[in-house]
Amino acid sequence: MRLGRVLQVILVLSLALAALAGAAFGGAALAVLQPELARSTAGYLAVASKAVARLPQPARAEGHGRQGADDGYVIDAVLGVDQVVAGQVTVTYTNDSTVDLDRLVFHLPRGVQTVTLEKLDGAQAGRDAARDGLTYTIPLKGQVAPGAQVTAVLKYSTFLAQGPRRQGISDGGGLWLINDWYPSLDVFDGEGWHTGEPAAAFGDYSFLATATYKVRLTTPAGLNAYAPYGDRGRVVATEGSAQTLAFEAGPVREFALVLTNEHGAVAEVGQARPTLAALYLAGHEPAARGALAAARKAIDTYSELFGPYPGPGFVIVEAPITDFKGVEFPGFILISSAQYEQGSGVESVIAHEVAHQWWYNQVGSDQLLEPWIDESLANYATALYFEKEYGPAAGRSVLNAGAFTLYRSRRAAYPESSVAKPVTAFATEEEYKMMTYGRGALFLQALRETMGDKVFFAFLHDLATRHADGYVTEKTIRDEAAAAAGRDLSDLFDLWLHRPDGQLPR
Ligand SMILES: [Zn+2]
């Protein structure tokens, strides 16, 4: 549903984009296109694609993703009119496996409308690239050998939803949550590509490798940007009511950002690193200050437990979202306005989302196929935060409320369920949460009791630092836990993660 104010934004932006594309169209064509632009996606795409075509050819991605010394993304995109993002993404990827690559497999954003392969360097495209759901596969004729590098340039357009969700444009048009917005290479593990579809209504959307990013984005002027680690971007051009911003980031798990003209901001004073800021909506400054204080304590606690925080800054962004209490992105999180209004529980939401800066951003895991890994670690870390800050009784109480009660109260409804399964294998959000957040966190407590505190915390710290900018699977965790404990722990893993609920000892 499009409201009046958004229509205004759209109209203004139409004019801006038309102005941007003016050189290509000439004045006479603009007069014809403007009314068309204001109401049709096709009209917008015509202008946006011309605007994108005018952009300089992308340089090769630079920097250092996990896969290779100069792997990464270069993204040039225009966003705005009719809620469409149109752009070009250049992905440079080094085959770090020991086998030839016979294809490249991309994850597409949920709102994808069009995607085409523009150019391929380092390999020859095979028969036609094909899209299946949110997976886009480019077959390769000349295979990419181990150590060889390949660069693909895709053009694409994708739709941003409007409304109170973790991605999209707010009803008033003053807040843009830009995530899951570009095609990204799936993860190749040496045997196959990790592809997976997100569930319709819960869980995360993608699993990506860390990479470096160079991003150039044309947006409505007057919106302030907050990208990974609080990067505000650099204004490289303004034309009419459009601005073009440039960012560099990485290695990060994904490039997400927030654009806003609605927020007040508070920042922590002092020299501590990372720098902290919180963006709040009208009336919520005290809540934002409380969240800021909790975030500092959580970052300090987790830095001690899991190793250093991975970036220079961290931002808490209040958003009027109704689908999540909080959502994690590299270097920033969203927290729902409802959470601030409710008052209680803010500290545990902050502790949970901050923990994802280690378990998801720094240490990846397949959030579609093994969603329990980052969620159980973040949820258990929340209990650890309360334990370290307020004592063992507080830690137990948070584990009790956030995991045990959650799990126990619903278990009768899902007697055959288990923890370690893909997000789409959970029938409901309730089942997903009780297993991945609830029983998954209880598993970590059981692991701790089995290993003893000293060994368990050394194991967690090693897991986080050893796999920083990489990713872990259940097998990684199982093998490293066994090595740390000096004995096989398969029975414990099987019992807690794979056996149906009913077989868990009382
Ligand atoms: Zn989480």
Side-chain angles (χ1 to χ4, degrees):
M1 180 103 52
R2 191 169 298 133
L3 302 182
R5 209 170 135 200
V6 162
L7 197 59
Q8 273 181 359
V9 170
I10 285 166
L11 273 164
V12 167
L13 199 63
S14 301
L15 296 173
L17 277 163
L20 265 179
F25 282 109
L30 277 182
V32 178
L33 273 171
Q34 278 168 14
E36 181 69 15
L37 275 174
R39 59 174 188 271
S40 93
T41 300
Y44 167 72
L45 285 173
V47 168
S49 65
K50 298 245 183 193
V52 169
R54 286 189 317 114
L55 297 168
Q57 278 306 298
R60 210 172 69 175
E62 292 168 9
H64 47 92
R66 180 73 164 190
Q67 280 75 31
D70 51 12
D71 284 0
Y73 290 75
V74 176
I75 303 175
D76 264 310
V78 179
L79 63 85
V81 180
D82 281 358
Q83 301 165 228
V84 172
V85 178
Q88 175 172 281
V89 53
T90 302
V91 186
T92 301
Y93 175 71
T94 302
N95 178 7
D96 69 338
S97 75
T98 55
V99 298
D100 286 352
L101 288 184
D102 62 355
R103 70 195 65 193
L104 295 176
V105 181
F106 286 81
H107 164 80
L108 301 176
R110 283 160 310 135
V112 66
Q113 296 192 327
T114 60
V115 58
T116 52
L117 173 65
E118 285 292 306
K119 200 172 158 206
L120 197 62
D121 282 340
Q124 214 184 337
R127 56 186 194 286
D128 290 346
R131 181 174 150 192
D132 177 18
L134 297 181
T135 299
Y136 183 65
T137 303
I138 302 169
L140 301 176
K141 215 189 287 173
Q143 298 193 329
V144 176
Q149 196 175 58
V150 59
T151 296
V153 180
L154 307 182
K155 282 204 168 149
Y156 74 101
S157 60
T158 188
F159 187 76
L160 298 172
Q162 187 187 339
R165 307 253 152 212
R166 61 170 274 183
Q167 187 237 46
I169 304 168
S170 65
D171 283 332
L175 174 61
W176 302 50
L177 304 175
I178 310 297
N179 54 77
D180 190 37
W181 65 283
Y182 57 89
S184 48
L185 202 59
D186 274 318
V187 174
F188 182 70
D189 65 8
E191 288 181 4
W193 292 88
H194 284 241
T195 60
E197 295 283 316
F202 53 88
D204 290 307
Y205 299 151
S206 60
F207 165 46
L208 307 177
T210 56
T212 55
Y213 285 83
K214 291 188 170 189
V215 176
R216 204 164 43 168
L217 199 55
T218 298
T219 79
L223 290 173
N224 297 305
Y226 293 84
Y229 304 120
D231 178 18
R232 306 294 310 276
R234 210 159 33 87
V235 178
V236 292
T238 52
E239 242 181 302
S241 30
Q243 61 182 354
T244 300
L245 304 171
F247 306 88
E248 291 191 21
V252 286
R253 188 68 50 192
E254 63 185 300
F255 190 94
L257 76 162
V258 169
L259 296 163
T260 175
N261 61 15
E262 294 187 337
H263 284 82
V266 289
E268 195 183 55
V269 291
Q271 303 297 313
R273 290 289 177 270
T275 58
L276 300 192
L279 307 185
Y280 61 90
L281 296 169
H284 293 163
E285 182 179 340
R289 288 191 183 279
L292 207 57
R296 169 59 66 197
K297 291 190 288 184
I299 286 172
D300 289 349
T301 300
Y302 299 149
S303 296
E304 213 164 284
L305 288 172
F306 311 135
Y309 177 81
F314 179 74
V315 184
I316 301 160
V317 182
E318 177 189 352
I321 52 174
T322 54
D323 50 348
F324 292 88
K325 290 180 186 172
V327 188
E328 72 280 10
F329 297 101
F332 74 92
I333 60 172
L334 305 180
I335 184 163
S336 73
S337 295
Q339 196 63 53
Y340 277 172
E341 273 149 26
Q342 184 187 313
S344 66
V346 170
E347 191 169 5
S348 63
V349 173
I350 294 293
H352 179 100
E353 304 306 338
V354 169
H356 278 305
Q357 297 303 315
W358 281 263
W359 307 110
Y360 141 78
N361 179 25
Q362 192 159 212
V363 180
S365 50
D366 192 323
Q367 292 158 272
L368 299 175
L369 297 179
E370 298 188 292
W372 72 272
I373 294 178
D374 74 313
E375 289 307 347
S376 67
L377 280 160
N379 220 24
Y380 191 64
T382 305
L384 292 177
Y385 162 83
F386 279 90
E387 178 181 330
K388 302 287 174 195
E389 283 299 322
Y390 305 106
R396 273 196 303 277
S397 154
V398 166
L399 188 66
N400 204 30
F404 192 66
T405 304
L406 173 74
Y407 168 61
R408 261 294 168 89
S409 64
R410 320 276 171 81
R411 64 188 300 189
Y414 304 95
E416 296 305 316
S417 190
S418 60
V419 174
K421 56 186 189 177
V423 63
T424 48
F426 293 97
T428 64
E429 181 170 17
E430 178 179 84
E431 183 199 0
Y432 167 75
K433 285 200 160 166
M434 65 172 268
M435 284 297 168
T436 62
Y437 293 61
R439 183 161 152 165
L442 296 176
F443 157 67
L444 292 168
Q445 173 65 21
L447 190 61
R448 176 180 173 180
E449 285 167 11
T450 303
M451 296 171 92
D453 275 14
K454 192 159 173 274
V455 175
F456 176 76
F457 285 112
F459 149 74
L460 270 189
H461 191 278
D462 286 350
L463 191 71
T465 50
R466 206 174 280 158
H467 300 282
D469 294 337
Y471 68 93
V472 297
T473 62
E474 180 188 333
K475 184 176 185 315
T476 323
I477 299 171
R478 190 186 278 245
D479 290 351
E480 295 191 9
R487 64 196 164 99
D488 182 46
L489 297 168
S490 294
D491 285 352
L492 190 77
F493 276 74
D494 288 341
L495 177 67
W496 281 90
L497 301 178
H498 294 279
R499 292 212 204 141
D501 177 51
Q503 295 182 30
L504 191 72
R506 305 299 150 124

